[in-house]
Amino acid sequence: MTLLAQRSAPGPGVTTPGPGAGRQVWRRLRARPSAVAAAAVLALLVLLALTAPLFAHLTGQDPNAYHDELVDSARGGVPLGSFGGISGEHWLGVEPGTGRDLFTRLLYGARVSLLVALGATAVQVLVGVGVGLAVALGGRFAGQVVSRFTDVMIALPLLVIAIALTAVVPPGFPRPLLLILVIGLLDWGGVARMVRAQTLSLKELDFVDAARLSGNGTLRIARRELLPSLAAPVITLAAIKVPTAMVVEASLSFLGVGVKPPTPSWGQMLSSAQTWFRADPAYVLLPAGLLFVTVLAFTVLGDAVRTALDPREDSRLRVGTRKERKA
C-alpha cells in the first residue's frame, strides 16, 4: 500500500500543482521578456477597462452623447479638426457622423470585449472539464456516445452557428450574456477532448489506484486526485482560448449580430467604420489596433504559460530549430 500511495512522477520538467511549483512557474515567466511585456499590456488594458467610468467622469464625456457641432454636416459627418477631431477634451478625436467621444467608447468597448472573452472561456472550461472527466471515468458505451457528440461539436462551424443563434434570440436578452453563452457552449469540444486524453493517462497511475483501493468513490477521486493534476494543461488551453473568443465576439459584432448599439464594442465600431476609412482612417485603425494588440498579448502570454508549465516543450523546439539550421 505504501508503494501504491506514492504518486508517479509525471516526468522531468513537468510542473505539478503546489506552492513550490507556483514559484517555479512564476520565475520561468519572469525570465521571458515577451511574457512580461504581454502581461503588462493586458494588465494596463484591464485597468483602463475597469476605470472607464472614472475616465469618462474626469474628461466629462459620455460615451453615448452625440455632439453634432463637432462634425461637418456638409461633408457627410466628417469630424472637424485634424486627426479625427483630436483636442484637449477629446483625446483620440470623435466618432464620424455622431461626434461621440472616441476615447471613452474605446474604453467601454474594451470592457465588453474582455467580459465576453473571459466569460466564454470560463464556460468552455467548465463544460469541457465536466464532459471530459465524465467520458474518461464513465462507462464504455456512454463514453463512446459522448465522445461522438464531442466530435460533432468540434466539427460544427462556430461562426455560422453563432450567427444563426444570436439572430433568433429576442432583442431584449442581454447581448453580452448571450455571446458568452453561445461562444462558450459551442466551443468546449477541444477542452473536453484534451481533458479526456489526460484523464485516461492519469487514471492508470499509482496514486489513482491507491485512492481507489482506499475506498474513495469516483467523484472524490476526480475532485481530489485528478483535477489538481489537470490544472496545468487546462490553464494553458484556457489562455489560448481567450483570444479566440475575443475574435469571435468582434466578428459577430462586426456582422451586426453581436453587441447592439448604443453599447460600444470594438467589432461594432469596426463595422460602422467601413464607410469612413478614407475620410477618417483613425476611426478604423484605433479599434483594429487595440484588438490586434490584445489578441497578440493573450497569444504570447498563453504560449509563455505553456512553456513555463512544461519547459521540456521549449527545449524540444530549440533542439528542432538547431537541427534544421545545421541541415
Side-chain angles (χ1 to χ4, degrees), residues 153-246:
M153 293 299 298
I154 294 175
L156 287 176
L158 172 61
L159 197 58
V160 175
I161 303 299
I163 291 173
L165 291 176
T166 52
V168 300
V169 174
F173 196 89
R175 303 304 288 190
L177 177 60
L178 174 62
L179 292 175
I180 289 174
L181 294 176
V182 168
I183 298 173
L185 295 177
L186 287 177
D187 196 26
W188 52 264
V191 179
R193 176 176 286 181
M194 184 274 295
V195 170
R196 174 182 176 273
Q198 292 286 333
T199 304
L200 289 175
S201 300
L202 290 171
K203 65 186 292 189
E204 302 298 329
L205 299 181
D206 292 344
F207 71 94
V208 177
D209 291 335
R212 189 179 298 112
L213 292 174
S214 300
N216 294 314
T218 302
L219 291 178
R220 186 178 178 85
I221 292 174
R223 185 177 70 253
R224 300 193 60 178
E225 306 295 340
L226 296 176
L227 284 178
S229 300
L230 291 170
V234 169
I235 291 173
T236 302
L237 188 56
I240 299 173
K241 285 286 187 180
V242 171
T244 303
M246 183 170 288

Coordinates of all heavy atoms in Angstrom, one line a residue, residues 153-246:
M153 N -19.5 18.5 -32.1 CA -19.4 19.9 -31.6 C -18.1 20.5 -32.1 O -18.1 21.7 -32.5 CB -19.4 19.9 -30.1 CG -20.7 19.5 -29.5 SD -22.1 20.6 -30.0 CE -21.6 22.2 -29.3
I154 N -17.0 19.8 -32.2 CA -15.8 20.3 -32.7 C -15.9 20.6 -34.2 O -15.3 21.6 -34.7 CB -14.6 19.3 -32.4 CG1 -14.4 19.2 -30.9 CG2 -13.3 19.8 -33.1 CD1 -13.3 18.2 -30.5
A155 N -16.6 19.7 -34.9 CA -16.7 19.9 -36.4 C -17.7 21.0 -36.8 O -17.6 21.5 -37.9 CB -17.2 18.6 -37.0
L156 N -18.6 21.5 -35.9 CA -19.5 22.5 -36.3 C -18.8 23.8 -36.6 O -17.9 24.2 -35.9 CB -20.5 22.7 -35.1 CG -21.6 21.7 -34.9 CD1 -22.4 22.0 -33.6 CD2 -22.5 21.5 -36.1
P157 N -19.3 24.5 -37.6 CA -18.7 25.8 -37.9 C -19.2 26.8 -36.9 O -20.4 27.3 -36.9 CB -19.3 26.2 -39.3 CG -20.5 25.3 -39.4 CD -20.3 24.1 -38.6
L158 N -18.3 27.2 -36.0 CA -18.6 28.1 -34.9 C -19.3 29.4 -35.3 O -20.4 29.7 -34.7 CB -17.4 28.3 -34.0 CG -17.5 29.3 -32.9 CD1 -18.5 28.8 -31.9 CD2 -16.2 29.6 -32.2
L159 N -18.7 30.1 -36.2 CA -19.2 31.4 -36.5 C -20.6 31.3 -37.2 O -21.5 32.2 -36.9 CB -18.2 32.1 -37.5 CG -18.3 33.6 -37.6 CD1 -18.2 34.3 -36.2 CD2 -17.3 34.2 -38.6
V160 N -20.8 30.4 -38.0 CA -22.1 30.2 -38.7 C -23.2 29.9 -37.7 O -24.3 30.5 -37.7 CB -22.0 29.2 -39.8 CG1 -23.4 29.0 -40.5 CG2 -21.0 29.6 -40.9
I161 N -23.0 28.9 -36.8 CA -24.0 28.6 -35.8 C -24.2 29.7 -34.9 O -25.4 30.0 -34.5 CB -23.5 27.3 -35.1 CG1 -23.3 26.2 -36.0 CG2 -24.6 26.9 -34.1 CD1 -24.5 25.7 -36.9
A162 N -23.2 30.4 -34.5 CA -23.3 31.6 -33.6 C -24.2 32.7 -34.2 O -25.0 33.3 -33.6 CB -21.9 32.1 -33.2
I163 N -23.9 32.9 -35.5 CA -24.8 33.9 -36.2 C -26.2 33.6 -36.2 O -27.1 34.4 -35.9 CB -24.2 34.1 -37.6 CG1 -22.9 34.8 -37.6 CG2 -25.2 35.0 -38.5 CD1 -22.2 34.9 -39.0
A164 N -26.5 32.3 -36.5 CA -27.9 31.8 -36.5 C -28.5 31.9 -35.1 O -29.7 32.4 -35.0 CB -27.9 30.4 -37.0
L165 N -27.8 31.5 -34.1 CA -28.4 31.6 -32.7 C -28.6 33.0 -32.2 O -29.7 33.3 -31.7 CB -27.5 30.8 -31.8 CG -27.4 29.3 -32.0 CD1 -26.4 28.7 -31.0 CD2 -28.8 28.7 -31.8
T166 N -27.6 33.9 -32.4 CA -27.8 35.2 -32.0 C -28.8 36.0 -32.8 O -29.4 37.0 -32.2 CB -26.4 36.0 -32.1 OG1 -25.9 35.9 -33.4 CG2 -25.4 35.4 -31.1
A167 N -29.1 35.6 -34.0 CA -30.1 36.3 -34.8 C -31.6 36.0 -34.4 O -32.5 36.8 -34.6 CB -29.9 36.0 -36.3
V168 N -31.8 34.8 -33.8 CA -33.2 34.4 -33.5 C -33.5 34.7 -32.0 O -34.7 34.6 -31.6 CB -33.4 32.9 -33.7 CG1 -33.1 32.6 -35.2 CG2 -32.4 32.0 -32.9
V169 N -32.6 35.1 -31.2 CA -32.9 35.4 -29.8 C -33.6 36.7 -29.7 O -33.2 37.7 -30.4 CB -31.6 35.4 -29.0 CG1 -31.8 35.9 -27.5 CG2 -30.9 34.0 -29.0
P170 N -34.6 36.9 -28.8 CA -35.3 38.2 -28.7 C -34.3 39.3 -28.4 O -33.3 39.1 -27.7 CB -36.2 37.9 -27.5 CG -36.4 36.4 -27.5 CD -35.2 35.8 -28.0
P171 N -34.6 40.5 -28.9 CA -33.7 41.7 -28.7 C -33.5 42.1 -27.3 O -32.5 42.7 -26.9 CB -34.4 42.8 -29.5 CG -35.3 42.1 -30.5 CD -35.7 40.8 -29.8
G172 N -34.5 41.8 -26.4 CA -34.4 42.2 -25.0 C -33.4 41.4 -24.2 O -33.1 41.8 -23.1
F173 N -32.9 40.3 -24.7 CA -32.0 39.4 -24.0 C -30.6 40.2 -24.0 O -30.2 40.6 -25.0 CB -31.8 38.1 -24.6 CG -31.1 37.1 -23.8 CD1 -31.9 36.3 -22.9 CD2 -29.8 36.9 -23.8 CE1 -31.3 35.3 -22.1 CE2 -29.1 36.0 -23.0 CZ -29.9 35.2 -22.1
P174 N -29.9 40.2 -22.8 CA -28.6 40.9 -22.7 C -27.6 40.3 -23.7 O -27.3 39.2 -23.6 CB -28.2 40.7 -21.3 CG -29.5 40.5 -20.5 CD -30.4 39.7 -21.5
R175 N -27.2 41.2 -24.6 CA -26.3 40.6 -25.7 C -24.9 40.1 -25.2 O -24.5 39.1 -25.6 CB -26.1 41.7 -26.7 CG -27.3 42.3 -27.4 CD -28.2 41.2 -28.0 NE -27.6 40.7 -29.2 CZ -28.3 39.9 -30.0 NH1 -29.5 39.5 -29.7 NH2 -27.7 39.4 -31.1
P176 N -24.3 40.8 -24.2 CA -23.0 40.2 -23.7 C -23.2 38.9 -23.1 O -22.4 37.9 -23.4 CB -22.5 41.3 -22.7 CG -23.1 42.6 -23.1 CD -24.5 42.2 -23.7
L177 N -24.3 38.7 -22.3 CA -24.5 37.4 -21.8 C -24.8 36.4 -22.8 O -24.4 35.2 -22.8 CB -25.7 37.5 -20.8 CG -26.2 36.2 -20.1 CD1 -25.0 35.5 -19.3 CD2 -27.4 36.4 -19.2
L178 N -25.6 36.8 -23.9 CA -25.9 35.9 -25.0 C -24.6 35.4 -25.7 O -24.5 34.2 -26.0 CB -26.9 36.6 -25.9 CG -27.2 35.8 -27.2 CD1 -27.9 34.5 -26.9 CD2 -28.0 36.7 -28.2
L179 N -23.7 36.4 -25.9 CA -22.5 36.0 -26.6 C -21.6 35.1 -25.8 O -21.0 34.1 -26.3 CB -21.7 37.3 -26.9 CG -22.3 38.2 -28.0 CD1 -21.5 39.4 -28.1 CD2 -22.4 37.5 -29.3
I180 N -21.6 35.3 -24.4 CA -20.9 34.4 -23.6 C -21.4 33.0 -23.6 O -20.7 32.0 -23.8 CB -20.9 34.9 -22.1 CG1 -20.1 36.2 -22.0 CG2 -20.4 33.9 -21.1 CD1 -20.2 36.9 -20.6
L181 N -22.7 32.8 -23.6 CA -23.3 31.5 -23.6 C -23.2 30.8 -25.0 O -22.8 29.6 -25.1 CB -24.8 31.6 -23.3 CG -25.1 32.1 -21.8 CD1 -26.7 32.2 -21.7 CD2 -24.6 31.1 -20.8
V182 N -23.4 31.6 -26.0 CA -23.3 31.0 -27.4 C -21.9 30.5 -27.7 O -21.6 29.4 -28.1 CB -23.8 32.0 -28.4 CG1 -23.4 31.5 -29.8 CG2 -25.3 32.2 -28.3
I183 N -20.9 31.4 -27.5 CA -19.5 31.1 -27.7 C -19.0 29.9 -26.8 O -18.4 29.0 -27.2 CB -18.6 32.3 -27.6 CG1 -19.0 33.4 -28.6 CG2 -17.1 31.9 -27.8 CD1 -18.3 34.7 -28.5
G184 N -19.4 30.1 -25.5 CA -18.9 29.1 -24.6 C -19.5 27.7 -24.8 O -18.8 26.7 -24.7
L185 N -20.8 27.6 -25.1 CA -21.5 26.3 -25.3 C -21.3 25.7 -26.7 O -21.7 24.6 -26.9 CB -23.0 26.5 -25.1 CG -23.4 26.9 -23.6 CD1 -24.9 27.1 -23.5 CD2 -22.9 25.9 -22.6
L186 N -20.7 26.4 -27.6 CA -20.4 25.9 -28.9 C -18.9 25.5 -29.1 O -18.6 24.7 -30.0 CB -20.7 26.9 -30.0 CG -22.2 27.1 -30.3 CD1 -22.4 28.2 -31.3 CD2 -22.9 25.9 -30.7
D187 N -18.0 25.9 -28.2 CA -16.6 25.7 -28.4 C -15.9 25.1 -27.2 O -14.8 25.4 -26.9 CB -16.0 27.1 -28.7 CG -14.6 26.9 -29.4 OD1 -14.3 25.9 -30.0 OD2 -13.8 27.8 -29.2
W188 N -16.6 24.1 -26.6 CA -16.0 23.4 -25.5 C -15.4 22.1 -25.9 O -14.7 21.4 -25.1 CB -17.0 23.2 -24.4 CG -18.3 22.5 -24.8 CD1 -19.4 23.1 -25.2 CD2 -18.5 21.1 -25.1 NE1 -20.4 22.2 -25.6 CE2 -19.8 21.0 -25.5 CE3 -17.7 20.0 -24.9 CZ2 -20.4 19.7 -25.8 CZ3 -18.3 18.7 -25.2 CH2 -19.6 18.6 -25.7
G189 N -15.6 21.7 -27.1 CA -15.1 20.3 -27.6 C -13.6 20.1 -27.4 O -13.2 19.0 -27.0
G190 N -12.8 21.1 -27.7 CA -11.4 20.9 -27.6 C -10.9 20.7 -26.2 O -10.1 19.9 -25.9
V191 N -11.6 21.4 -25.3 CA -11.2 21.3 -23.9 C -11.6 19.9 -23.4 O -10.8 19.2 -22.7 CB -11.9 22.3 -23.0 CG1 -11.6 22.2 -21.5 CG2 -11.5 23.7 -23.5
A192 N -12.8 19.4 -23.8 CA -13.3 18.1 -23.4 C -12.4 17.0 -23.9 O -12.0 16.0 -23.2 CB -14.7 17.9 -23.9
R193 N -11.9 17.1 -25.1 CA -11.1 16.1 -25.7 C -9.7 16.0 -25.0 O -9.2 15.0 -24.8 CB -10.9 16.4 -27.2 CG -9.9 15.5 -27.9 CD -9.8 15.7 -29.4 NE -11.0 15.3 -30.1 CZ -11.2 15.4 -31.4 NH1 -10.3 16.0 -32.2 NH2 -12.3 14.9 -32.0
M194 N -9.1 17.2 -24.7 CA -7.9 17.3 -24.0 C -8.0 16.7 -22.6 O -7.1 15.9 -22.2 CB -7.4 18.7 -23.9 CG -6.0 18.9 -23.3 SD -6.0 19.0 -21.5 CE -6.9 20.5 -21.3
V195 N -9.1 17.0 -21.9 CA -9.3 16.5 -20.5 C -9.5 15.0 -20.5 O -8.9 14.3 -19.7 CB -10.4 17.3 -19.9 CG1 -10.8 16.6 -18.5 CG2 -10.1 18.7 -19.6
R196 N -10.2 14.5 -21.5 CA -10.4 13.1 -21.6 C -9.1 12.3 -21.8 O -8.8 11.3 -21.1 CB -11.4 12.8 -22.8 CG -11.5 11.3 -23.1 CD -12.4 11.1 -24.3 NE -12.5 9.6 -24.6 CZ -11.7 9.0 -25.4 NH1 -10.7 9.7 -25.9 NH2 -11.8 7.7 -25.6
A197 N -8.3 12.8 -22.7 CA -7.0 12.2 -23.0 C -6.1 12.2 -21.8 O -5.4 11.2 -21.4 CB -6.3 12.8 -24.2
Q198 N -6.0 13.4 -21.1 CA -5.2 13.5 -19.9 C -5.7 12.6 -18.8 O -4.9 11.9 -18.1 CB -5.1 14.9 -19.4 CG -4.4 15.9 -20.4 CD -2.9 15.7 -20.3 OE1 -2.4 15.3 -19.3 NE2 -2.3 16.0 -21.4
T199 N -7.0 12.5 -18.6 CA -7.6 11.7 -17.5 C -7.4 10.2 -17.8 O -7.1 9.5 -16.8 CB -9.1 12.0 -17.4 OG1 -9.3 13.4 -17.2 CG2 -9.7 11.2 -16.3
L200 N -7.5 9.8 -19.0 CA -7.2 8.4 -19.3 C -5.8 8.0 -19.0 O -5.5 6.8 -18.6 CB -7.5 8.1 -20.8 CG -9.0 8.1 -21.2 CD1 -9.1 7.9 -22.7 CD2 -9.8 7.0 -20.5
S201 N -4.8 8.9 -19.2 CA -3.4 8.6 -18.8 C -3.3 8.7 -17.3 O -2.6 7.8 -16.7 CB -2.5 9.7 -19.5 OG -2.6 9.6 -20.9
L202 N -3.9 9.6 -16.6 CA -3.7 9.8 -15.2 C -4.3 8.6 -14.4 O -3.8 8.2 -13.4 CB -4.3 11.1 -14.7 CG -3.6 12.4 -15.2 CD1 -4.4 13.6 -14.8 CD2 -2.2 12.5 -14.5
K203 N -5.5 8.1 -14.9 CA -6.2 7.1 -14.1 C -5.4 5.8 -14.0 O -5.8 4.9 -13.2 CB -7.6 6.9 -14.7 CG -7.6 6.3 -16.1 CD -8.9 6.2 -16.7 CE -9.8 5.2 -16.0 NZ -11.1 5.0 -16.7
E204 N -4.4 5.6 -14.9 CA -3.6 4.4 -14.8 C -2.4 4.5 -13.9 O -1.7 3.5 -13.7 CB -3.0 4.1 -16.2 CG -4.1 3.9 -17.3 CD -5.1 2.8 -17.0 OE1 -4.6 1.8 -16.4 OE2 -6.2 2.8 -17.3
L205 N -2.2 5.7 -13.3 CA -1.0 5.9 -12.4 C -1.3 5.4 -11.0 O -2.5 5.1 -10.6 CB -0.7 7.3 -12.4 CG -0.3 8.0 -13.7 CD1 0.1 9.4 -13.5 CD2 0.9 7.2 -14.4
D206 N -0.2 5.2 -10.2 CA -0.3 4.6 -8.9 C -1.2 5.3 -7.9 O -1.9 4.8 -7.1 CB 1.1 4.3 -8.4 CG 1.8 3.3 -9.2 OD1 1.2 2.6 -9.9 OD2 3.1 3.2 -9.0
F207 N -1.1 6.7 -8.0 CA -1.8 7.4 -6.9 C -3.3 7.3 -7.1 O -4.0 7.4 -6.1 CB -1.3 8.9 -6.9 CG -1.8 9.7 -8.1 CD1 -3.0 10.5 -8.0 CD2 -1.1 9.8 -9.2 CE1 -3.4 11.3 -9.1 CE2 -1.5 10.6 -10.3 CZ -2.6 11.3 -10.2
V208 N -3.8 7.1 -8.3 CA -5.2 6.9 -8.5 C -5.6 5.5 -8.0 O -6.7 5.4 -7.4 CB -5.6 7.1 -10.0 CG1 -7.1 6.9 -10.2 CG2 -5.2 8.6 -10.4
D209 N -4.8 4.5 -8.3 CA -5.1 3.2 -7.8 C -5.1 3.2 -6.3 O -5.9 2.5 -5.7 CB -4.0 2.2 -8.3 CG -4.1 2.0 -9.8 OD1 -5.2 2.1 -10.3 OD2 -3.1 1.6 -10.4
A210 N -4.2 3.9 -5.7 CA -4.1 4.0 -4.2 C -5.4 4.6 -3.6 O -6.0 4.2 -2.6 CB -2.9 4.8 -3.7
A211 N -5.9 5.7 -4.3 CA -7.1 6.3 -3.8 C -8.3 5.4 -4.0 O -9.2 5.4 -3.2 CB -7.3 7.6 -4.6
R212 N -8.3 4.6 -5.1 CA -9.4 3.7 -5.3 C -9.4 2.6 -4.3 O -10.4 2.2 -3.8 CB -9.3 3.2 -6.8 CG -10.5 2.4 -7.2 CD -10.4 1.9 -8.6 NE -10.3 3.0 -9.6 CZ -9.2 3.2 -10.3 NH1 -8.1 2.5 -10.1 NH2 -9.2 4.3 -11.1
L213 N -8.2 2.0 -4.0 CA -8.1 1.0 -3.0 C -8.4 1.5 -1.6 O -8.8 0.7 -0.7 CB -6.7 0.4 -3.0 CG -6.3 -0.4 -4.3 CD1 -4.9 -0.8 -4.3 CD2 -7.2 -1.6 -4.5
S214 N -8.3 2.8 -1.4 CA -8.6 3.3 -0.1 C -10.1 3.5 0.1 O -10.5 3.9 1.2 CB -7.9 4.7 0.1 OG -6.5 4.5 0.0
G215 N -10.9 3.2 -0.9 CA -12.3 3.2 -0.8 C -13.0 4.5 -1.2 O -14.1 4.8 -1.0
N216 N -12.2 5.4 -1.9 CA -12.7 6.6 -2.4 C -13.6 6.4 -3.7 O -13.2 5.5 -4.5 CB -11.6 7.6 -2.8 CG -10.8 8.1 -1.6 OD1 -11.4 8.4 -0.6 ND2 -9.5 8.0 -1.7
G217 N -14.7 7.1 -3.8 CA -15.6 7.0 -4.9 C -15.0 7.7 -6.1 O -14.0 8.4 -6.1
T218 N -15.7 7.6 -7.3 CA -15.3 8.2 -8.5 C -15.2 9.7 -8.4 O -14.3 10.4 -8.8 CB -16.2 7.8 -9.7 OG1 -16.2 6.4 -9.8 CG2 -15.7 8.4 -11.0
L219 N -16.3 10.3 -7.8 CA -16.3 11.8 -7.7 C -15.2 12.3 -6.8 O -14.6 13.3 -7.1 CB -17.7 12.2 -7.1 CG -18.9 12.0 -8.1 CD1 -20.2 12.4 -7.4 CD2 -18.7 12.8 -9.4
R220 N -15.0 11.6 -5.7 CA -13.9 12.0 -4.8 C -12.5 11.9 -5.4 O -11.7 12.8 -5.3 CB -14.0 11.2 -3.5 CG -13.0 11.7 -2.4 CD -13.1 10.8 -1.2 NE -12.2 11.2 -0.1 CZ -12.4 12.2 0.7 NH1 -13.5 12.9 0.7 NH2 -11.5 12.5 1.6
I221 N -12.3 10.9 -6.2 CA -11.0 10.7 -6.9 C -10.9 11.8 -7.9 O -9.8 12.4 -8.1 CB -11.0 9.3 -7.6 CG1 -10.9 8.2 -6.5 CG2 -9.8 9.2 -8.5 CD1 -10.9 6.8 -7.1
A222 N -12.0 12.1 -8.7 CA -11.9 13.2 -9.7 C -11.6 14.5 -9.0 O -10.8 15.3 -9.6 CB -13.2 13.2 -10.5
R223 N -12.2 14.8 -7.9 CA -12.1 16.1 -7.3 C -10.7 16.3 -6.6 O -10.1 17.3 -6.7 CB -13.2 16.3 -6.2 CG -13.2 17.7 -5.6 CD -14.4 17.9 -4.7 NE -14.2 17.1 -3.5 CZ -14.9 16.0 -3.2 NH1 -15.8 15.6 -4.0 NH2 -14.7 15.4 -2.0
R224 N -10.2 15.2 -5.9 CA -9.0 15.4 -5.1 C -7.8 14.9 -5.7 O -6.7 15.3 -5.4 CB -9.2 14.6 -3.7 CG -10.4 15.1 -2.9 CD -10.4 14.5 -1.5 NE -9.1 14.9 -0.8 CZ -8.9 14.6 0.5 NH1 -9.7 13.8 1.1 NH2 -7.7 14.9 1.0
E225 N -7.9 14.0 -6.7 CA -6.7 13.4 -7.3 C -6.5 13.9 -8.8 O -5.4 14.3 -9.2 CB -6.8 11.9 -7.3 CG -7.0 11.3 -5.9 CD -5.8 11.5 -5.0 OE1 -4.7 11.8 -5.5 OE2 -6.1 11.5 -3.8
L226 N -7.6 13.9 -9.6 CA -7.4 14.2 -11.0 C -7.4 15.7 -11.3 O -6.6 16.2 -12.1 CB -8.5 13.5 -11.8 CG -8.5 11.9 -11.7 CD1 -9.7 11.3 -12.5 CD2 -7.2 11.4 -12.3
L227 N -8.3 16.4 -10.7 CA -8.4 17.8 -11.0 C -7.2 18.6 -10.7 O -6.8 19.5 -11.6 CB -9.6 18.5 -10.3 CG -11.0 18.1 -10.9 CD1 -12.1 18.8 -10.0 CD2 -11.1 18.6 -12.3
P228 N -6.5 18.4 -9.6 CA -5.2 19.1 -9.4 C -4.2 18.8 -10.5 O -3.4 19.7 -10.9 CB -4.7 18.7 -8.0 CG -6.0 18.3 -7.3 CD -6.9 17.7 -8.4
S229 N -4.1 17.6 -11.0 CA -3.2 17.2 -12.0 C -3.6 17.8 -13.4 O -2.7 17.9 -14.2 CB -3.1 15.7 -12.1 OG -2.6 15.1 -10.8
L230 N -4.8 18.1 -13.5 CA -5.3 18.6 -14.8 C -5.2 20.1 -14.9 O -5.5 20.7 -15.9 CB -6.8 18.2 -15.0 CG -7.1 16.8 -15.3 CD1 -8.6 16.5 -15.3 CD2 -6.5 16.4 -16.7
A231 N -4.8 20.8 -13.7 CA -4.8 22.2 -13.7 C -3.9 22.8 -14.7 O -4.3 23.8 -15.4 CB -4.4 22.7 -12.3
A232 N -2.7 22.3 -14.8 CA -1.7 22.9 -15.7 C -2.2 22.9 -17.2 O -2.2 23.9 -17.9 CB -0.3 22.2 -15.6
P233 N -2.5 21.7 -17.8 CA -3.0 21.8 -19.2 C -4.3 22.6 -19.4 O -4.4 23.2 -20.4 CB -3.2 20.3 -19.5 CG -3.3 19.6 -18.2 CD -2.5 20.3 -17.2
V234 N -5.2 22.6 -18.4 CA -6.4 23.3 -18.6 C -6.1 24.8 -18.6 O -6.7 25.6 -19.4 CB -7.4 23.0 -17.5 CG1 -8.6 23.9 -17.4 CG2 -7.9 21.6 -17.7
I235 N -5.2 25.3 -17.7 CA -4.9 26.7 -17.7 C -4.2 27.1 -19.0 O -4.5 28.2 -19.5 CB -3.9 27.0 -16.5 CG1 -4.7 26.8 -15.2 CG2 -3.3 28.4 -16.6 CD1 -3.8 26.9 -13.9
T236 N -3.3 26.2 -19.5 CA -2.7 26.5 -20.8 C -3.7 26.7 -21.9 O -3.6 27.6 -22.7 CB -1.7 25.4 -21.1 OG1 -0.7 25.3 -20.0 CG2 -0.9 25.7 -22.4
L237 N -4.6 25.7 -22.0 CA -5.6 25.8 -23.1 C -6.5 27.0 -22.9 O -6.9 27.6 -23.9 CB -6.4 24.5 -23.1 CG -7.3 24.3 -24.3 CD1 -6.5 24.4 -25.6 CD2 -8.0 22.9 -24.2
A238 N -6.9 27.3 -21.7 CA -7.7 28.5 -21.4 C -7.1 29.7 -21.9 O -7.7 30.6 -22.5 CB -8.1 28.5 -20.0
A239 N -5.8 29.9 -21.6 CA -5.1 31.1 -22.1 C -5.1 31.2 -23.6 O -5.0 32.3 -24.1 CB -3.6 31.0 -21.6
I240 N -5.1 30.1 -24.3 CA -5.2 30.1 -25.8 C -6.6 30.4 -26.3 O -6.8 31.0 -27.3 CB -4.6 28.8 -26.3 CG1 -3.2 28.6 -25.9 CG2 -4.7 28.8 -27.8 CD1 -2.6 27.3 -26.3
K241 N -7.6 30.0 -25.5 CA -9.0 30.1 -25.9 C -9.5 31.6 -25.8 O -10.4 32.0 -26.5 CB -9.9 29.2 -25.0 CG -9.8 27.8 -25.4 CD -10.5 27.5 -26.6 CE -10.6 26.0 -26.9 NZ -11.4 25.7 -28.2
V242 N -8.9 32.3 -24.8 CA -9.4 33.7 -24.6 C -9.3 34.6 -25.9 O -10.2 35.2 -26.3 CB -8.6 34.4 -23.5 CG1 -8.9 35.9 -23.4 CG2 -9.0 33.7 -22.1
P243 N -8.1 34.6 -26.6 CA -8.1 35.5 -27.8 C -9.0 35.0 -28.9 O -9.5 35.8 -29.7 CB -6.6 35.4 -28.2 CG -6.0 34.2 -27.6 CD -6.8 34.1 -26.3
T244 N -9.2 33.6 -29.0 CA -10.1 33.1 -30.0 C -11.6 33.6 -29.7 O -12.3 34.0 -30.6 CB -10.1 31.6 -29.9 OG1 -8.8 31.1 -30.2 CG2 -11.1 31.0 -31.0
A245 N -12.0 33.6 -28.4 CA -13.3 34.1 -28.1 C -13.4 35.6 -28.3 O -14.5 36.1 -28.8 CB -13.6 33.8 -26.6
M246 N -12.4 36.3 -28.1 CA -12.4 37.8 -28.4 C -12.6 38.0 -29.9 O -13.3 38.9 -30.3 CB -11.1 38.4 -27.9 CG -11.1 39.9 -28.0 SD -9.7 40.7 -27.2 CE -10.2 40.5 -25.5

